[in-house]
Amino acid sequence: MSNPSILILAGDGIGPEVMDEVKKIMGWFDAKRGLKFDLSEGLVGGAAYDAHGTPLTDETMAKAQEVDAVLLGAVGGPKYDDLDFSVKPERGLLRLRKEMDLFANLRPAQCFDALADFSSLKKELVSGLDIMIVRELTSGSYFGEPRGIFEENGERVGINTQRYTESEIDRVARSAFELARKRDNRLCSVEKANVMESGILWREVVSKIGAEDYPDVELSHMYADNCAMQLVRTPKQFDVIVTDNLFGDILSDCAAMLTGSLGMLPSASLGVPMENGRPKAMYEPVHGSAPDISGQGLANPSACVLSFAMALRYSFDQGAEADRLEAAVEQVLADGTRTADLMQAAGGKPASTSEMGDAIVKALEASL
Ligand code: IPM
Ligand code: MG
């Protein structure tokens, strides 16, 4: 039997730097835990545009459809700000999400004990925080038609459409209910049913699934604006949150920052299972390409490393090895190793990107 396959798309900015550390860690799992992957690499975002004039070639798209998981670094940068919308780096990422049909985007916001002081909120509000945001990723206003900039009555009008079918709501809600069952059994569904028909439908569909198939999961509903407020007021009230594409984009950034650092947060985007039973999947850090610090060894590789841990858990059925990797990252933080993003203003010399990767490997080694 062939090894499970991973396509690495390091992308732009700090993407390649943090991905180098993940490759180091994959090397460790290969050598020490016998986890072998068939790795291939491709270009996405600005890197693909520079080489091919498009943020994602058809060949890379086809490759992404074939592999068991895609691991992505980051896309974008100021160099590409003036490009036509259709070839902007972000379009490559959105094409991957859409064509792979990765409808369930899992964004954990977890506060590591060693970093609780970093949050902009008081320590007691965030220490032990463990939220999972499930963001719908392939529909809603990111993709709804009609969209565009049109002429109307002698002026231009910009249009995007918020659109959800019952089945689109149904499938992402089920993913969220399933996750809630594996966690604290609580799900909060977020929309704006007070002003949007798509929100009314969203609430109806989620309620029905809850009542019929997940009566054991405690379901609540919240308007998105209130949810934003509650996230900064008492974030620990949440377990799993399920919401649409745009609200999920915004709320997940908000939840991420509660934990102190964007540099720590991974994500998984999951689609329907393939023939081998594995879900179509892409894993990526929540942070962006951070062009201001790229190329200087300042980036924190943890989010990308933890994204690989999510791949081990959700694509490769290696929950124990995922736990091992997450514990190694936590241990490194507890030991005081810090990349620049995790240093207090007055702190000493930060660890470089590769020193952080080495420290994680060392902690893995110590876990044996
Ligand atoms: C995210 C990002 C993307 C999004 C951008 C880069 C297209 O903000 O993954 O949250 O808006 O979905
Ligand atoms: Mg975002």
Side-chain angles (χ1 to χ4, degrees):
M1 231 176 75
S2 59
N3 299 321
S5 53
I6 298 180
L7 171 63
I8 294 178
L9 301 175
D12 307 324
I14 61 171
E17 296 164 60
V18 295
M19 200 61 85
D20 280 346
E21 301 315 304
V22 179
K23 288 183 208 165
K24 226 182 237 177
I25 283 158
M26 287 173 165
W28 184 87
F29 276 99
D30 177 352
K32 300 297 173 75
R33 306 299 299 157
L35 289 186
K36 307 220 177 286
F37 297 102
D38 287 336
L39 300 179
S40 52
E41 297 202 42
L43 298 174
V44 69
Y49 178 81
D50 288 340
H52 304 293
T54 166
L56 187 74
T57 62
D58 292 343
E59 291 74 45
T60 309
M61 186 65 242
K63 183 79 195 172
Q65 297 281 20
E66 263 165 41
V67 293
D68 293 310
V70 175
L71 195 59
L72 188 134
V75 295
K79 185 179 160 193
Y80 308 104
D81 279 353
D82 295 328
L83 286 184
D84 187 71
F85 184 71
S86 64
V87 290
K88 278 196 186 297
E90 291 78 7
R91 303 309 303 170
L93 178 60
L94 293 169
R95 181 176 177 199
L96 283 162
R97 290 174 179 174
K98 185 68 180 173
E99 292 191 22
M100 291 171 76
D101 202 15
L102 304 173
F103 62 89
N105 180 217
L106 279 45
R107 297 192 164 188
Q110 221 178 342
C111 185
F112 290 85
D113 269 350
L115 299 180
D117 281 327
F118 261 92
S119 174
S120 43
L121 295 192
K122 293 191 201 80
K123 188 171 179 173
E124 63 268 24
L125 287 180
V126 296
S127 98
L129 180 75
D130 183 5
I131 299 176
M132 177 69 87
I133 296 191
V134 181
R135 168 189 177 192
E136 199 291 326
L137 202 60
T138 51
S139 185
S141 53
Y142 272 58
F143 297 99
E145 299 284 348
R147 66 181 297 167
I149 299 176
F150 305 98
E151 286 283 327
E152 203 179 279
N153 304 326
E155 63 172 349
R156 290 183 304 159
V157 49
I159 297 181
N160 290 93
T161 302
Q162 166 78 335
R163 179 178 192 280
Y164 271 103
T165 63
E166 285 183 286
S167 54
E168 286 169 338
I169 302 167
D170 182 284
R171 64 183 189 170
V172 73
R174 284 182 194 280
S175 304
F177 275 113
E178 290 293 334
L179 267 170
R181 266 191 183 159
K182 295 194 186 113
R183 295 170 45 101
D184 200 31
N185 228 14
R186 294 181 293 123
L187 178 63
C188 180
S189 170
V190 172
E191 25 60 11
K192 272 188 73 77
N194 50 345
V195 284
M196 298 167 80
E197 285 80 0
S198 57
I200 296 176
L201 184 67
W202 183 284
R203 190 176 285 219
E204 272 177 29
V205 172
V206 175
S207 298
K208 183 159 179 280
I209 298 169
E212 286 175 1
D213 296 334
Y214 299 90
D216 52 309
V217 177
E218 188 189 310
L219 174 65
S220 60
H221 304 273
M222 208 179 262
Y223 298 142
D225 51 347
N226 184 27
C227 181
M229 191 263 276
Q230 297 295 340
L231 273 172
V232 290
R233 194 179 72 105
T234 40
K236 282 191 255 180
Q237 71 182 281
F238 296 105
D239 178 24
V240 180
I241 291 174
V242 64
T243 190
D244 76 15
N245 205 340
L246 184 58
F247 293 144
D249 179 45
I250 298 166
L251 295 173
S252 64
D253 260 31
C254 177
M257 208 53 220
L258 298 176
T259 69
S261 173
L262 268 182
M264 296 302 305
L265 296 177
S267 77
S269 303
L270 307 177
V272 288
M274 301 185 285
E275 265 167 37
N276 60 14
R278 293 191 181 114
K280 277 259 170 68
M282 178 161 73
Y283 299 87
E284 58 181 306
V286 168
H287 64 67
S289 59
D292 52 322
I293 60 161
S294 80
Q296 302 167 54
L298 290 173
N300 183 353
S302 302
C304 203
V305 170
L306 293 170
S307 298
F308 175 57
M310 288 187 94
L312 291 174
R313 176 172 294 117
Y314 293 110
S315 281
F316 303 117
D317 219 6
Q318 294 286 344
E321 300 302 329
D323 289 345
R324 179 193 300 279
L325 182 49
E326 287 164 357
V329 172
E330 188 147 19
Q331 185 60 49
V332 167
L333 293 175
D335 292 345
T337 308
R338 298 277 192 276
T339 41
D341 56 312
L342 305 177
M343 303 282 298
Q344 303 285 10
K349 188 177 173 298
S352 69
T353 308
S354 70
E355 284 166 349
M356 189 73 180
D358 292 342
I360 297 170
V361 169
K362 222 168 133 201
L364 283 170
E365 198 63 39
S367 75
L368 293 178

